[in-house]
Amino acid sequence: MMDGAAAARFPEASARALGDENLQAALRLLGEGFQARRTDAVERFAAFEDARDAAVAAKTRTLRHLDRHLETFEARCREHGGVVHWAETPADARQIVLELLTDRGVRVLSKGKTMVAEEIGLNGFLEANGIEVIETDLGEYIIQLAEEAPSHIIVPAIHKTMPQVADLFRQHHDQTGAELFPRRTPADLVAEARAVLRGRFLEADAGLTGANFLVAETGSSVIVTNEGNGDLTQTLPQLHIVLATIEKVVPTLADGAAILRVLARSATGQDMSAYTTVSTGPRRPSDVDGPAEYHVVLVDNGRSRLLGTPAEEVLRCIRCGACMNHCPVYGAVGGHAYGWVYPGPIGAALTPALLGVETARHLPNASSLCGRCEEVCPMRIPLPKIFRYWREQEHAARLNSGRMRLGLAIWGWLAARPRLYRLATGAAMRVLSRLAGRSRRFRSLFLASGWTQSRDFPAPAGRTFLNSWKQRS
Amino acid sequence: MSVPGSESGRGRVGLFVTCLADLFRPSVAWASVRLLEQAGFEVTVPDRQTCCGQPAYNAGDLPTARRVARGILDAFEPFDYVVAPSGSCAGMLRLHLGRLFESEPDTATRAEQLARRTHELTEFLVDVAGWTGVAASFPHRVTYHDSCSSLREMAVRDQPRALMAQVQGLELVELGDRDVCCGFGGTFCVKYPDISTKMVSDKTAAIAATGAETVLAGDLGCLLNIAGRLAREGRPVACRHVAEVLAGTNGTDPIVPVGP
Ligand code: SF4
């Protein structure tokens, strides 16, 4: 499992990321790629704002009676021959999956893209228990070869440049006997990965996928992909396991459709993803293919605790990635600096809830509160407001730095006493202004090294406005 | 000069100076007074004001933010309008003040009423006053930086441009990626200086790419950040608050004089 403690080392990790030239080259593509494509998609779709409202309304309604919708889901899923398992903790979820596999003698598991599996640390756990895991999503496959964690929720290997991927393939594919390609273009790399993976799909005895959402009224799970890998993962083997967190349920298919209308547009700028697959129970006698068994593992891992708190709105998230695609902080440091499964603004809002503010306190602080994430979030999640909420929790628990607390206390004490404030700031500005001399700037300044390491500090004018104003009137 | 109780007055404006203009760049406040008076308003500068409380609010220190906010309520209640030459401070008063007093309904009501009367300067001049009387000349190529709070909290984007279009000789070249943050973010810029530096460097590169001699903005926080980085990089671009140019009070030096 990704070590949650890494989230506490955000400052060091982000400094490293800023100095990593390959990463910086990879991140530069965010602006030209994802941002531009989303803008186009939104402009093409006149009703986008209405679609957003509808999706938000659907999810808000769901969360109000989450327990009821989950029960309906379980009942319907069972009617269709599926089995629902409830997991409160990551350990519970891992154990349930392992038992499903070992009871059936499964040795090889193919896997579609699922962030929940990262969240519960599934791959490492299964491998330690003798089960081979084959990632079938191209991005997940690349980082599996590199033995890394995803750095983006929809583009897990976004931090890798093409030459780096070509290198990985050289190391891992040359001995497989699969058809190889020149590895000069992205298309070459995709073709080669396909050739290698095609053989592997057939080896798997079970397939595991996530779910973009679950539909209560039909007991179905729905995934959207562009590579079609999810379909092969869930239809070829005899056992299909769906891993999903509890907030993924929506009451009706129509609610799911409301989400689909904004999901791909926000994520990749497509009107729809290439494949949208609805799975309802195992294969029926009349079906041409499909698994013999269909299991859904519903994971809570702290979600139900969030209900009713000011951070509950993060549960509307549909994991489209738009917030990170547009975040200048994510764009500067990439996903690994966040130190846990969910990077970018949604990570900064969600990680403190799942790992605790103490561990994750940097993430909601490392934001200029510019609000671009909220602006593009299809589910209108007020991410900056949630960052502030975590900062409030941090301050109340006295987890922020003593220097910060002292500074705020002194400043606040003064700012609430205008006359004294006027005297103190008047004197301070006079001194600073004189010290600056003719250059009108400071190249370094006591207690302001964070500023002056890269910026000059502009000198104040000398007399404050309010002190001058008193003489005018 | 303001004419108290003047018959031609269109209403009483309480100028929220902002702590940065008060301490660092009084010319922004003088320019604001002048613009508001030109537009026909009676301007008062309540002397009990200090700061909008954002440093505490954004740091999660609600008790301190509340203490500062009470002072604002007392100081600004008597006016028809509260106007600030900053989208950030105006945004604090309009969108966040009420939230501070969720557990005190009476104070929350006062805060909501104040919020409704609060405006960012250019937004006030254009949308509320309908003013088109800019009498200034600035024969330079300029670019404009939209602050995030102006853009996203106060819906200020076209208003400063409508006013700049009235300035004689001013040629506006728009920035690339103009809706992206400059990396100031209050204490963010000193708590995460490396990330902030990356952000402001992207911004100064975009500014340089326009070929503008001057960059204007409506928020001093961004301007101090951008000016400081431009100066460190030795890029010869001057930084000013847009109010100074609109009021024709740009005789003062830019924020950090251009040159070594
Ligand atoms: S927070 Fe919003 S923008 Fe970010 S991944 Fe979730 S739904 Fe998408």
Side-chain angles (χ1 to χ4, degrees):
Chain A
M1 170 150 52
M2 278 178 86
D3 176 11
R9 296 190 293 271
F10 177 83
E12 299 80 6
S14 58
R16 262 199 313 282
L18 284 162
D20 179 339
E21 275 168 38
N22 275 320
L23 174 64
Q24 292 299 322
L27 289 172
R28 266 193 286 282
L29 301 174
L30 271 184
E32 299 148 30
F34 287 100
Q35 293 176 17
R37 285 205 291 270
R38 176 195 173 271
T39 307
D40 286 349
V42 168
E43 275 166 10
R44 273 198 311 272
F45 182 38
F48 185 69
E49 293 305 316
D50 297 337
R52 262 172 109 175
D53 289 337
V56 172
K59 204 73 199 210
T60 308
R61 241 184 300 119
T62 310
L63 292 176
R64 214 169 290 146
H65 302 288
L66 189 58
D67 49 348
R68 218 172 63 203
H69 300 305
L70 286 166
E71 278 160 20
T72 309
F73 174 80
E74 180 178 28
R76 290 293 132 71
C77 182
R78 199 182 309 131
E79 284 164 26
H80 290 288
V83 184
V84 174
H85 308 260
W86 301 87
E88 199 184 323
T89 66
D92 296 346
R94 290 192 297 264
Q95 201 54 42
I96 291 167
V97 174
L98 180 66
E99 277 166 23
L100 284 171
L101 298 176
T102 47
D103 287 356
R104 291 158 185 77
V106 171
R107 308 302 315 253
V108 181
L109 173 75
S110 64
K111 187 160 158 278
K113 217 185 87 49
T114 143
M115 294 308 295
V116 192
E118 299 290 333
E119 185 180 324
I120 66 170
L122 187 65
N123 284 18
F125 177 78
L126 292 181
E127 274 157 14
N129 284 281
I131 289 167
E132 188 187 352
V133 179
I134 306 168
E135 293 289 354
T136 62
D137 172 90
L138 180 57
E140 292 285 349
Y141 175 67
I142 291 168
I143 59 168
Q144 189 184 28
L145 294 183
E147 298 181 20
E148 290 176 7
S151 71
H152 188 292
I153 61 173
I154 65 163
V155 206
I158 194 165
H159 58 286
K160 288 260 175 270
T161 60
M162 222 194 64
Q164 288 177 316
V165 176
D167 264 357
L168 277 171
F169 282 12
R170 190 167 308 125
Q171 285 167 36
H172 292 271
H173 290 172
D174 287 2
Q175 317 303 330
T176 56
E179 186 189 356
L180 302 180
F181 288 76
R183 300 175 187 142
R184 275 191 295 268
T185 62
D188 290 342
L189 296 174
V190 172
E192 182 168 318
R194 258 179 210 277
V196 173
L197 283 171
R198 207 172 298 136
R200 309 236 51 201
F201 272 117
L202 299 168
E203 293 170 35
D205 322 302
L208 183 139
T209 65
N212 287 87
F213 51 89
L214 306 167
V215 182
E217 68 174 353
T218 61
S220 318
S221 61
V222 179
I223 58 168
V224 302
T225 69
N226 277 320
E227 297 165 15
N229 62 309
D231 295 344
L232 291 177
T233 302
Q234 67 186 37
T235 46
L236 291 180
Q238 287 301 297
L239 168 65
H240 176 201
I241 303 173
V242 178
L243 192 61
T245 42
I246 54 170
E247 83 281 12
K248 290 281 170 223
V249 74
V250 292
T252 66
L253 267 173
D255 294 323
I259 289 171
L260 287 177
R261 280 156 73 87
V262 295
L263 177 58
R265 290 185 167 96
S266 303
T268 51
Q270 296 164 286
D271 296 333
M272 274 294 262
S273 301
Y275 302 89
T276 300
T277 310
V278 183
S279 308
T280 313
R283 180 176 54 222
R284 282 157 299 197
S286 56
D287 290 345
V288 287
D289 56 14
E293 286 189 73
Y294 174 83
H295 293 258
V296 180
V297 182
L298 287 173
V299 186
D300 181 343
N301 194 21
R303 265 79 175 177
S304 53
R305 256 196 341 259
L306 277 179
L307 289 166
T309 73
E312 125 184 302
E313 290 178 84
V314 296
L315 297 177
R316 284 207 301 270
C317 176
I318 54 172
R319 304 284 188 268
C320 72
C323 55
M324 58 201 77
N325 292 342
H326 290 76
C327 173
V329 174
Y330 178 90
V333 303
H336 286 157
Y338 290 79
W340 202 56
V341 183
Y342 303 100
I346 183 60
L350 183 60
T351 309
L354 301 186
L355 296 185
V357 197
E358 192 157 353
T359 303
R361 65 180 197 88
H362 278 295
L363 310 186
N365 275 291
S367 161
S368 63
L369 301 176
C370 78
R372 210 170 178 222
C373 49
E374 178 176 3
E375 186 174 69
V376 297
C377 172
M379 302 308 285
R380 300 194 198 282
I381 299 171
L383 294 151
K385 184 176 134 194
I386 296 171
F387 302 163
R388 277 199 195 88
Y389 168 69
W390 293 123
R391 294 178 189 192
E392 286 154 20
Q393 301 298 304
E394 179 199 12
H395 186 83
R398 313 181 74 86
L399 295 167
N400 48 356
S401 83
R403 202 167 106 182
M404 181 69 155
R405 300 180 70 85
L406 183 69
L408 281 172
I410 296 173
W411 169 85
W413 188 85
L414 260 184
R417 291 166 177 73
R419 208 167 294 155
L420 209 58
Y421 175 90
R422 209 74 66 220
L423 274 174
T425 55
M429 293 307 125
R430 220 165 26 243
V431 172
L432 266 185
S433 176
R434 252 187 237 141
L435 283 176
R438 292 245 298 281
S439 77
R440 308 312 300 147
R441 80 196 72 173
F442 296 91
R443 296 216 173 257
S444 65
L445 195 62
F446 182 56
L447 286 180
S449 60
W451 181 287
T452 55
Q453 68 175 45
S454 63
R455 292 161 277 222
D456 289 353
F457 191 82
R463 268 189 97 196
T464 67
F465 174 76
L466 278 144
N467 284 339
S468 312
W469 176 262
K470 253 193 275 166
Q471 292 189 348
R472 168 183 136 153
S473 40
Chain B
M1 293 289 272
S2 59
V3 189
S6 114
E7 308 248 320
S8 66
R10 305 179 54 187
R12 297 184 63 213
V13 170
L15 180 68
F16 188 82
V17 175
T18 79
C19 63
L20 289 179
D22 176 34
L23 304 185
F24 279 83
R25 203 157 166 85
S27 51
V28 175
W30 289 116
S32 306
V33 172
R34 182 167 170 147
L35 288 166
L36 291 165
E37 288 181 350
Q38 283 176 342
F41 294 86
E42 182 195 326
V43 182
T44 306
V45 181
D47 69 350
R48 284 157 64 204
Q49 61 179 301
T50 54
C51 169
C52 67
Q54 256 190 107
Y57 181 66
N58 288 341
D61 183 355
L62 295 189
T64 301
R66 222 168 269 136
R67 211 170 304 135
V68 177
R70 269 185 233 285
I72 298 169
L73 283 180
D74 295 341
F76 283 92
E77 231 153 26
F79 302 98
D80 302 324
Y81 307 101
V82 180
V83 176
S86 157
S88 174
C89 311
M92 174 72 196
L93 301 191
R94 189 187 282 176
L95 298 175
H96 303 285
L97 216 54
R99 218 204 118 206
L100 282 176
F101 298 105
E102 268 164 3
S103 54
E104 298 173 39
D106 291 351
T107 319
T109 308
R110 288 173 63 200
E112 298 302 343
Q113 282 165 353
L114 192 83
R116 273 196 290 278
R117 302 198 303 270
T118 299
H119 302 274
E120 185 272 346
L121 177 68
T122 63
E123 175 228 333
F124 180 77
L125 290 171
V126 173
D127 296 345
V128 179
W131 185 62
T132 53
V134 176
S137 146
F138 196 72
H140 299 283
R141 174 188 269 242
V142 308
T143 189
Y144 189 81
H145 167 69
D146 294 284
S147 81
C148 299
S149 23
S150 289
L151 212 51
R152 304 201 175 89
E153 294 196 323
M154 300 300 290
V156 172
R157 190 180 63 175
D158 300 337
Q159 299 90 332
R161 289 174 176 81
L163 295 169
M164 282 186 288
Q166 300 168 42
V167 175
Q168 249 178 37
L170 182 149
E171 181 203 346
L172 176 68
V173 190
E174 292 288 1
L175 272 177
D177 276 340
R178 69 186 214 195
D179 67 333
V180 178
C181 176
C182 72
F184 173 63
T187 51
F188 166 76
C189 71
V190 289
K191 282 201 291 190
Y192 300 93
D194 300 331
I195 301 171
S196 171
T197 298
K198 163 84 169 97
M199 288 162 72
V200 70
S201 304
D202 288 350
K203 188 56 71 183
T204 53
I207 290 168
T210 62
E213 303 152 62
T214 300
V215 52
L216 301 177
D219 275 83
L220 259 181
C222 314
L223 279 166
L224 294 173
N225 181 40
I226 292 170
R229 184 62 187 166
L230 286 167
R232 181 62 60 89
E233 293 175 324
R235 295 191 198 262
V237 184
C239 293
R240 290 181 181 285
H241 193 285
V242 66
E244 298 169 19
V245 168
L246 296 174
T249 57
N250 39 277
T252 47
D253 278 339
I255 304 169
V256 184
V258 175

